Amino acid sequence: MTIRASFTGALGCSLPILLLLTPLVLGSPAQAQRGRRPALGTAAPVPMQPSWQSPRELERASHDLAKAQRHLAEASFFAQRGSSPEAARLLELSRQSLAEAQNALQRGNVFAVREQAKAAENLAKAAKALYEAELGFGSRPGRSFFEAPLRAQESLSRLQAEMAFANITAGPVAELQQQAQQLLSRVNTDPGSYTFADYSRSKAAHHSARAALHLLAAERLSGLGSLGSL
């Protein structure tokens, strides 16, 4: 079986998204008003459509969910060949975030859906980067090869500021912050000895910090409860 075939099979899980989206669209209050004639002597009511039922927002949420599932499938493919416990934990958190996104979709909060889906996507990317560092192969480095540690540090600094403001010291967000910090401490930034593994760890740190920021945003949007309960 080729890599493309493995990915194609894994991406079959995106179908449940359409099943979840269908009742939300069909049950739209605005659509329920269409075709009804107003009673004589009364003004026709103006359909009030909550923003979470906007077809455009639903489309965006569907896109983010599908994208997260695709990256999770790719990272799971690498997991079959790697043994990194750090990457395995990131995959676990990615699946949990994806489940939270689907729960938020059922509640009709597409804004929380998008943040949870983006968290799941970044967690999967971080896991894949760690597997690449372990296995010694992956996508070809781009122009940001030597800039990766700097980008990771910028994301980590922003996360630390957000955590200080929200007074968060435990839970997945704090766990991801610690992981990003530890990964960066293992990166050799000397251009003369900077390797592909350093680049991959930097990417993993960057995506871990980004995932934590999206989890924070999802918490503010949906009130999912304590971040430590995930």
Side-chain angles (χ1 to χ4, degrees), residues 81-105:
R81 289 154 179 77
S83 59
S84 169
E86 295 171 318
R89 173 57 177 164
L90 289 169
L91 277 181
E92 179 184 357
L93 291 174
S94 179
R95 294 187 184 99
Q96 291 178 11
S97 292
L98 190 58
E100 289 291 350
Q102 292 167 339
N103 290 337
L105 181 63

Side-chain angles (χ1 to χ4, degrees), residues 31-87:
Q31 291 183 350
Q33 293 293 336
R34 294 176 183 171
R36 295 185 180 180
R37 301 179 62 181
L40 294 177
T42 61
V46 178
M48 298 299 293
Q49 187 176 39
S51 60
W52 57 263
Q53 288 187 335
S54 163
R56 185 176 181 181
E57 292 298 336
L58 287 172
E59 182 181 359
R60 288 174 175 173
S62 175
H63 172 77
D64 289 337
L65 280 169
K67 191 176 180 182
Q69 287 183 325
R70 182 172 71 251
H71 284 286
L72 182 56
E74 291 177 0
S76 298
F77 176 83
F78 276 84
Q80 298 174 9
R81 289 154 179 77
S83 59
S84 169
E86 295 171 318

Side-chain angles (χ1 to χ4, degrees), residues 3 5 41 43 54 70 77-78 83 100 136 153 157 159 169 180 186-187 207 217 228:
I3 292 179
S54 163
R70 182 172 71 251
F77 176 83
F78 276 84
S83 59
E100 289 291 350
Q153 184 58 58
S157 297
L159 172 60
T169 59
R186 292 159 52 192
V187 172
H207 288 303

